[in-house]
Amino acid sequence: MSEKAKLIAEMLEMQKMFQEYESKNGVDSSEYFAAEEGHPLYGYAKKYQELANKVDEMAHKDKGSTRWFTS
């Protein structure tokens, strides 16, 4: 499995966990963006964004294109 495929698989697992949590508990923005340590969503948004950025960079490299924005 390629590195990009591994990152995408990790993102899909994160999405599954989030959807299950949200379905059972509901989620407000403070939980999503600023959950306290020990909370199931602690660091979720930051980690997901980091993975998404890596996949984006890899996809651009594969196609020989560049990002038109920076994060």
Side-chain angles (χ1 to χ4, degrees):
M1 181 182 289
S2 73
E3 180 68 19
K4 185 168 60 171
K6 288 177 186 176
L7 293 173
I8 291 170
E10 185 175 353
M11 291 173 70
L12 291 172
E13 282 300 312
M14 289 180 70
Q15 288 176 359
K16 181 180 175 184
M17 180 278 299
F18 178 85
Q19 289 172 335
E20 289 172 359
Y21 180 86
E22 192 275 334
S23 177
K24 291 177 185 174
N25 306 292
V27 175
D28 65 33
S29 60
S30 65
E31 286 178 291
Y32 185 81
F33 291 106
E36 294 183 12
E37 192 169 348
H39 189 284
L41 297 179
Y42 176 73
Y44 178 89
K46 181 179 179 185
K47 179 168 174 91
Y48 194 87
Q49 186 62 54
E50 288 171 354
L51 293 173
N53 287 341
K54 286 179 185 178
V55 170
D56 183 58
E57 289 169 9
M58 290 175 168
H60 279 291
K61 186 175 182 181
D62 289 347
K63 294 296 180 183
S65 60
T66 58
R67 295 173 75 174
W68 60 272
F69 66 93
T70 58
S71 55

